[in-house]
Amino acid sequence: MEPFRLEVDSYRKLLDKYITTEDENSLYQAEQFSKISMQKNILPEEIIHIHIQALKDLYPDLPCEIDKSLNFLLETMISYGLAHQEFQTLREKQG
Amino acid sequence: MEPFRLEVDSYRKLLDKYITTEDENSLYQAEQFSKISMQKNILPEEIIHIHIQALKDLYPDLPCEIDKSLNFLLETMISYGLAHQEFQTLREKQG
């Protein structure tokens, strides 16, 4: 399975559990997911992309306004992603 | 008006325009919004918070699953926010 699909599957399971149970542990899992994602050099806009796909898997009839709003959000994250890449480069230089 | 509300109002107008028209210029505006937000030291999870509030303003009957899913997404962005703060500190040190 391609890496993106693996990330989506993992995120979707956590998201589904949180939506169903709303427990604190699921939120902790979200934090862990993002820490591991950062270690894998996954950028913030890619997290939004994973979120969109997981949401579409869970709700195939997602209203198109929600879908469009998430595309817009993804676009806003691209600048943050560029800053994040710059940060990773700086940190690597510093060892 | 408090700063958060101003950001939400500005974002909501752009988001609404994008959802209605889906034009490329609105996506460019999203990019500009995030660049200005970074200059104001707004963190990625705060962008998610602004997005949630703008979406609730536009769609007061937002399905609770969507609302919950966005809370989960916000949680995943916190680690990225911490990295972003570290990046800002490093950049300030370097002048």
Side-chain angles (χ1 to χ4, degrees), chain B residues 22-83:
Chain B
E22 264 185 293
D23 70 345
E24 283 300 312
N25 184 48
S26 303
L27 281 187
Y28 173 73
Q29 295 294 325
E31 189 191 329
Q32 291 307 106
F33 181 90
S34 64
K35 283 183 179 168
I36 293 167
S37 297
M38 283 205 294
Q39 285 164 9
K40 292 179 189 169
N41 294 331
I42 290 175
L43 296 171
E45 68 267 30
E46 292 175 296
I47 296 285
I48 310 288
H49 194 195
I50 290 167
H51 177 84
I52 295 172
Q53 194 52 55
L55 207 58
K56 284 183 179 176
D57 287 353
L58 289 173
Y59 307 103
D61 297 327
L62 194 69
C64 76
E65 293 83 1
I66 303 300
D67 191 8
K68 288 185 203 170
S69 81
L70 289 166
N71 281 339
F72 187 86
L73 179 63
L74 193 150
E75 195 71 23
T76 65
M77 276 299 143
I78 292 174
S79 303
Y80 282 90
L82 289 170

Side-chain angles (χ1 to χ4, degrees), chain A residues 11 14-15 18-20 22 26-35 37-38 41-45 47-48 51 55 59 62-66 68-73 75-80 83-84 86-88 90-91 94, chain B residues 11 14-15 18-20 22 26-35 37-38 41-45 47-48 51 55 59 62-66 68-73 75-80 83-84 86-88 90-91 94:
Chain A
Y11 185 95
L14 299 174
L15 178 62
Y18 175 67
I19 292 174
T20 314
E22 263 186 292
S26 303
L27 282 187
Y28 173 74
Q29 296 293 323
E31 189 192 329
Q32 293 306 106
F33 181 89
S34 64
K35 282 183 179 170
S37 297
M38 284 205 293
N41 293 331
I42 290 175
L43 295 172
E45 68 267 31
I47 296 286
I48 311 287
H51 177 85
L55 206 60
Y59 307 104
L62 194 69
C64 76
E65 293 84 1
I66 304 299
K68 286 183 202 169
S69 79
L70 288 166
N71 281 340
F72 187 85
L73 178 63
E75 196 70 22
T76 65
M77 277 298 143
I78 292 173
S79 302
Y80 283 90
H84 192 82
E86 202 183 321
F87 168 62
Q88 284 171 322
L90 263 178
R91 199 157 53 177
Q94 294 190 334
Chain B
Y11 184 94
L14 298 173
L15 178 62
Y18 175 66
I19 291 174
T20 314
E22 264 185 293
S26 303
L27 281 187
Y28 173 73
Q29 295 294 325
E31 189 191 329
Q32 291 307 106
F33 181 90
S34 64
K35 283 183 179 168
S37 297
M38 283 205 294
N41 294 331
I42 290 175
L43 296 171
E45 68 267 30
I47 296 285
I48 310 288
H51 177 84
L55 207 58
Y59 307 103
L62 194 69
C64 76
E65 293 83 1
I66 303 300
K68 288 185 203 170
S69 81
L70 289 166
N71 281 339
F72 187 86
L73 179 63
E75 195 71 23
T76 65
M77 276 299 143
I78 292 174
S79 303
Y80 282 90
H84 192 80
E86 202 183 323
F87 167 62
Q88 283 170 323
L90 264 178
R91 199 157 53 176
Q94 294 190 334

